[in-house]
Amino acid sequence: MDKQLTDISRFLSFVLRHEPQAIGITLDSEGWTGLDALVAAATASGQPLDRSQVEAVVRDNDKKRFTISDDGQRIRAAQGHTAGTVAIQYVPQTPPDVLYHGTASRFLESILAEGLRPGKRHHVHLSTDIGTATSVGQRYGSPVILKIDALQMHRLGAAFFQADNGVWLAEWVAPEFLAPLAE
Ligand code: HQG
């Protein structure tokens, strides 16, 4: 994606996950807002946007971070929210046997003691492959990959969900279901 579209993607993450009020829009409980309203509000608050740029970001985004509704009228972030008005009713799913979470080595001691917590976001984010987990973990420092016994956790009662873009979500992961991958 070119730099302009990357900047727009960052801006969309900011307003559609975290701070819709920064440009005077609201998100419904499923995270949706009107696409035309978003474009108008962004432009009015100094981030000029047009609908075709937003559509290009949604289409070309490396992680499919955003979804446009089937009728083309609304847009939402697929996952990663911190905004308090949003409580997406993801459909519970049976996870694969194993999922991965990338984190920074400095968080490891705390995670082994307390489990994985969502922090400010609404869910813990998990991936099906080690490569994705590695790049997620690298955002905060020297990465460590945790292997999660997802299916076992699910069998013992934990709910798992999948966002529109395929990212796996859980409410938390207790320490007994996770272990650092051997180097
Ligand atoms: C850590 C990006 C200490 C956790 C990525 C993580 C992802 C703990 C950090 C998405 C802990 C939270 C989400 C505990 C968890 N003690 N640290 N008990 N439990 N942590 O950014 O999963 O590019 O909120 O390991 O690709 O890193 O923005 O979560 O390091 O999919 O689309 O606390 O964000 O997507 O960090 O990333 P985050 P995350 P985008």
Side-chain angles (χ1 to χ4, degrees), residues 29-53:
S29 63
E30 289 293 312
W32 297 110
T33 196
L35 184 44
D36 290 336
L38 167 72
V39 166
T43 302
S45 58
Q47 169 77 45
L49 268 189
D50 64 39
R51 196 179 161 115
S52 65
Q53 288 173 315

Side-chain angles (χ1 to χ4, degrees), residues 75-98:
I75 184 169
R76 73 176 178 186
Q79 35 64 226
H81 299 82
T82 62
T85 57
V86 177
I88 298 179
Q89 298 286 307
Y90 295 106
V91 179
Q93 307 268 345
T94 300
D97 192 16
V98 168

Side-chain angles (χ1 to χ4, degrees), residues 142-166:
S142 162
V144 173
I145 309 304
L146 303 172
K147 178 171 171 260
I148 315 292
D149 288 332
L151 188 57
Q152 176 66 359
M153 214 178 120
H154 177 67
R155 286 195 178 124
L156 293 173
F160 282 80
F161 311 96
Q162 229 179 344
D164 300 341
N165 59 357

Side-chain angles (χ1 to χ4, degrees), residues 13 17 63 65 79-80 101-104 107-108 110-112 114-121 123-126 132 135-137 139-140 146 167:
S13 287
R17 288 173 171 174
K63 292 188 181 171
R65 291 180 175 88
Q79 35 64 226
H101 176 89
T103 190
F107 298 149
L108 192 56
S110 161
I111 291 171
L112 291 174
E114 305 176 351
L116 274 174
R117 299 188 181 281
K120 289 194 203 126
R121 300 189 201 256
H123 296 91
V124 174
H125 286 54
L126 305 169
T132 301
S135 53
V136 172
R139 288 155 51 245
Y140 294 122
L146 303 172
V167 170

